[in-house]
Amino acid sequence: MRLNNHKILIYTLSFFTAFGLSFAESHKDTAKSQKTTNTKIVQDNNFDELLNKTPGTLVNRVIASVNGEPILESDLKIAMVYFGTKDAKTALKQLIDIYLIYQYLSSQHMATPESFLDQTIKDMASQNHLTVEQLYEELRKQGISPKEFRDFLRKEILATAGFGEYLRKEVKLTPTDIELLKLKYGKPKLERDIELLIVPKKDKDKLSKLLNSTTSLKTIADKLGLTPQELEVTKGDLKKNLDEQVWKASKGDIVFAEGENNIYVAKVKNIKLVYQNIDLDKLKKKLLEEKMKKKYDEILNKLKKESYIKIYLQ
């Protein structure tokens, strides 16, 4: 799995810069989808107690578990700092999503490359004019060890950047999707691709003989020392008598029209529908993002329904 080309938006959270990734918005829906039959809340200690703990005195107890994998108090502390929130409940819900997706992608044999993890941490430090060791020291002041932070970040990167790469491989735009976009947002216009040969009237007999032996305008043009033209035309682009013949013809037909000094020979190579006033690339990108978001929600909701989640804090 290649993460290196994944675009990461950088913004400041708390005292250091964290990474905001493609599907961060999905966390807003977590509160609704968290209420599943497999989620068990066990009253132990409350979130206020956790919030009021003094940095550096964190007791690393289990506060939740996802399919038997424990979420420790230190994980939640990191998540609160990382997401820039003092709301422990919200941070825990986001953390559970990360664990669900991390477990899912791990089962697909995906992992965060250590080199990418190292570079991410270097970038975080650099954004805040710190060395990596100075960044780690700031984390220690919050009661977070470098190992705990790296473990959290390893999961977070896979659950966001990694999942984004996974979805890009899973979600594709079909030809039908693209045609529907054109029909919905574009102004359709019929065009014809033609090959046009203009033959002087003095060569009329030669043209007639050549047409008896071939339908290739290029071959005829070579024999007459002429050059055929490749044109894209809409109705009304050509001389009236030629235009009428071209638009009556079917694909592959050869039609003729006479002018004052020349004979016009046209072969209809293609008939196509084109769309005006449409930024197709922009629309395709928007549709792909919508389809990826929908797929993301489908997978996450399925994971929540099929997983066993325990929460030990009220």
Side-chain angles (χ1 to χ4, degrees):
M1 179 189 67
R2 292 182 62 192
L3 291 176
N4 302 68
N5 294 327
H6 183 80
K7 184 177 181 182
I8 301 178
L9 305 176
I10 302 176
Y11 58 96
T12 302
L13 294 180
S14 187
F15 60 85
F16 67 91
T17 299
F19 282 69
L21 295 148
S22 304
F23 295 96
E25 286 297 311
S26 65
H27 295 311
K28 294 179 181 178
D29 301 323
T30 303
K32 295 179 182 178
S33 57
Q34 192 68 37
K35 298 178 181 178
T36 68
T37 54
N38 294 332
T39 302
K40 184 177 181 182
I41 300 177
V42 181
Q43 184 172 339
D44 184 359
N45 294 286
N46 60 42
F47 284 96
D48 290 334
E49 179 187 344
L50 174 63
L51 274 176
N52 293 328
K53 279 185 176 291
T54 304
T57 63
L58 192 61
V59 177
N60 216 10
R61 55 183 173 167
V62 176
I63 58 167
S65 66
V66 178
N67 297 318
E69 184 175 2
I71 297 178
L72 303 178
E73 212 163 299
S74 60
D75 297 322
L76 181 57
K77 184 74 173 181
I78 295 169
M80 291 170 67
V81 173
Y82 187 85
F83 295 124
T85 180
K86 293 184 178 180
D87 187 338
K89 291 183 179 180
T90 297
L92 181 57
K93 288 170 183 175
Q94 290 177 277
L95 196 53
I96 288 170
D97 284 357
I98 288 173
Y99 270 65
L100 286 168
I101 299 169
Y102 173 80
Q103 290 173 358
Y104 175 73
L105 293 182
S106 294
S107 72
Q108 306 291 318
H109 309 291
M110 294 176 67
T112 302
E114 288 301 301
S115 59
F116 186 82
L117 178 63
D118 290 340
Q119 188 58 51
T120 300
I121 294 172
K122 286 180 183 178
D123 291 342
M124 287 181 179
S126 177
Q127 284 291 318
N128 290 272
H129 310 291
L130 301 171
T131 65
V132 171
E133 187 51 47
Q134 287 171 333
L135 174 61
Y136 284 156
E137 185 57 36
E138 292 298 325
L139 289 166
R140 290 187 189 99
K141 292 176 183 178
Q142 297 290 320
I144 300 166
S145 73
K147 181 181 183 305
E148 290 167 341
F149 180 65
R150 289 178 65 88
D151 289 344
F152 165 82
L153 200 58
R154 187 178 290 109
K155 290 183 176 70
E156 203 275 343
I157 290 172
L158 187 60
T160 49
F163 201 31
E165 292 298 322
Y166 174 81
L167 290 173
R168 283 179 178 82
K169 294 177 182 178
E170 291 292 309
V171 179
K172 304 293 182 184
L173 294 184
T174 67
T176 301
D177 288 330
I178 295 170
E179 288 305 310
L180 288 174
L181 278 178
K182 292 176 180 178
L183 288 171
K184 184 175 180 180
Y185 296 103
K187 182 180 178 182
K189 181 178 67 169
L190 199 60
E191 285 187 356
R192 295 193 171 203
D193 294 331
I194 67 168
E195 188 176 15
L196 178 64
L197 184 62
I198 303 173
V199 182
K201 278 192 173 180
K202 66 181 180 64
D203 293 327
K204 183 176 181 179
D205 291 340
K206 290 180 182 178
L207 173 63
S208 180
K209 289 179 182 179
L210 288 168
L211 284 168
N212 288 329
S213 61
T214 182
T215 58
S216 168
L217 295 195
K218 186 178 185 308
T219 300
I220 294 171
D222 289 342
K223 295 288 184 180
L224 297 175
L226 303 172
T227 303
Q229 302 176 51
E230 301 280 346
L231 302 174
E232 289 182 352
V233 297
T234 58
K235 198 161 187 175
D237 285 350
L238 303 169
K239 289 181 176 291
K240 184 178 180 181
N241 56 346
L242 178 60
D243 197 76
E244 289 174 353
Q245 295 301 316
V246 166
W247 285 91
K248 287 178 183 177
S250 300
K251 183 178 177 180
D253 287 351
I254 295 177
V255 296
F256 307 88
E258 286 196 27
E260 185 177 346
N261 300 309
N262 300 301
I263 298 171
Y264 300 94
V265 186
K267 185 173 185 177
V268 179
K269 301 183 71 175
N270 190 29
I271 300 172
K272 60 189 180 183
L273 193 64
V274 297
Y275 296 86
Q276 297 175 304
N277 306 322
I278 180 173
D279 187 340
L280 189 57
D281 288 339
K282 184 177 180 180
L283 291 172
K284 284 164 64 175
K285 181 180 178 182
K286 181 175 182 292
L287 180 59
L288 185 60
E289 288 174 351
E290 290 173 355
K291 291 185 73 169
M292 289 174 65
K293 177 63 168 63
K294 182 179 179 182
K295 185 68 174 179
Y296 174 90
D297 291 338
E298 287 175 359
I299 292 175
L300 185 57
N301 289 334
K302 186 171 185 287
L303 289 173
K304 287 178 178 178
K305 289 177 181 177
E306 295 178 352
S307 298
Y308 188 65
I309 302 167
K310 280 188 177 181
I311 298 174
Y312 299 99
L313 292 175
Q314 61 178 339

